[in-house]
Amino acid sequence: AQKITQTQPGMFVQEKEAVTLDCTYDTSDPSYGLFWYKQPSSGEMIFLIYQGSYDQQNATEGRYSLNFQKARKSANLVISASQLGDSAMYFCAMREGHSNDYKLSFGAGTTVTVRA
Amino acid sequence: AAGVIQSPRHLIKEKRETATLKCYPIPRHDTVYWYQQGPGQDPQFLISFYEKMQSDKGSIPDRFSAQQFSDYHSELNMSSLELGDSALYFCASNPRGDRGHNEQFFGPGTRLTVL
């Protein structure tokens, strides 16, 4: 069964506007971590933000924030003030278990295109 | 800051040939992961190592093998290559047990093309 679901294959956003990328997850483990990675057309995987299952507050990193709704098992990424350089594929990923040496399970990704 | 190094960055092979991909983790990172990302797909976990021992195994074909060496670098050996093995292969690393480092640091990937 798919552990990470990203329902938006692609999105267009106007420069300087905010965009929300959806991510829902499925796990029975009470301890888990949620990640967002950015993959530009050049192919590298760039870490954006992390949310732990026991974290009380939503994670923020600059223009990136994570809307973590634990009861709904969702971890949506919000990119504020979009820039042309934000055009990329965005992956939501999950690590199950309390240790940080566990593998990541990725969603199918969402392609974001920022328009000038 | 030092990053994960992967070599080669691009590799072209014929069917039934063998390939070896190398990964050099960030210094003091003792855990290495390998992922395979097919065209238009999400990365799929292949295998991971901690302190030179295999720690987890995913959907890695029997034709593939991997190991981690005493200097913590890792190699992914792929034999009897098939067209479907064409993909971007990522290596990632992190320091196990360091709870302040939750992310896996990804290398730039090796793009393998099988003709």
Side-chain angles (χ1 to χ4, degrees):
Chain A
Q2 190 72 16
K3 294 187 176 183
I4 296 286
T5 301
Q6 295 180 253
T7 58
Q8 307 151 310
M11 298 185 70
F12 290 94
V13 59
Q14 205 63 33
E15 196 177 10
K16 301 180 184 177
E17 292 186 347
V19 61
T20 298
L21 308 184
D22 295 341
C23 172
T24 58
Y25 58 91
D26 182 27
T27 181
S28 57
D29 196 323
S31 179
Y32 53 89
L34 297 159
F35 302 77
W36 279 92
Y37 283 87
K38 172 184 178 182
Q39 187 176 43
S41 57
S42 51
E44 70 266 34
M45 294 288 281
I46 302 168
F47 167 75
L48 296 178
I49 197 167
Y50 166 80
Q51 181 84 43
S53 59
Y54 294 120
D55 292 343
Q56 295 296 313
Q57 293 188 326
N58 287 346
T60 61
E61 289 286 348
R63 295 187 298 111
Y64 304 106
S65 60
L66 202 151
N67 183 4
F68 182 45
Q69 298 187 45
K70 195 170 182 177
R72 297 179 60 187
K73 293 189 174 180
S74 74
N76 298 340
L77 176 71
V78 180
I79 306 174
S80 62
S82 296
Q83 303 171 356
L84 295 178
D86 294 334
S87 294
M89 175 74 87
Y90 290 80
F91 289 101
C92 180
M94 178 174 65
R95 180 199 69 227
E96 295 173 279
H98 65 279
S99 175
N100 64 357
D101 68 335
Y102 291 174
K103 63 178 182 282
L104 295 178
S105 299
F106 287 84
T110 296
T111 301
V112 172
T113 303
V114 180
R115 290 168 163 163
Chain B
V4 176
I5 298 172
Q6 291 188 248
S7 68
R9 294 292 307 277
H10 301 274
L11 190 58
I12 299 175
K13 290 286 186 179
E14 300 278 343
K15 281 195 307 183
R16 293 179 287 277
E17 285 191 325
T18 61
T20 297
L21 310 185
K22 296 185 179 182
C23 168
Y24 298 86
I26 293 172
R28 292 181 294 282
H29 284 195
D30 49 19
T31 305
V32 168
Y33 311 79
W34 286 97
Y35 293 87
Q36 177 192 58
Q37 185 180 23
Q41 299 184 358
D42 55 290
Q44 295 291 318
F45 170 74
L46 292 178
I47 196 167
S48 62
F49 292 88
Y50 166 67
E51 286 290 346
K52 293 150 281 184
M53 298 287 289
Q54 179 183 308
S55 58
D56 197 2
K57 192 173 181 180
S59 50
I60 183 169
D62 292 340
R63 299 178 289 107
F64 294 6
S65 65
Q67 57 182 325
Q68 185 180 31
F69 295 85
S70 58
D71 63 352
Y72 297 109
H73 95 271
S74 178
E75 295 184 4
L76 177 66
N77 299 294
M78 310 160 72
S79 63
S80 303
L81 287 169
E82 302 174 356
L83 296 178
D85 296 329
S86 295
L88 187 58
Y89 290 83
F90 285 107
C91 172
S93 74
N94 66 1
R96 183 179 186 179
D98 185 343
R99 300 187 68 79
H101 291 80
N102 290 293
E103 68 180 281
Q104 289 182 15
F105 296 80
F106 280 77
T110 293
R111 190 170 296 279
L112 173 67
T113 302
V114 181
L115 302 176

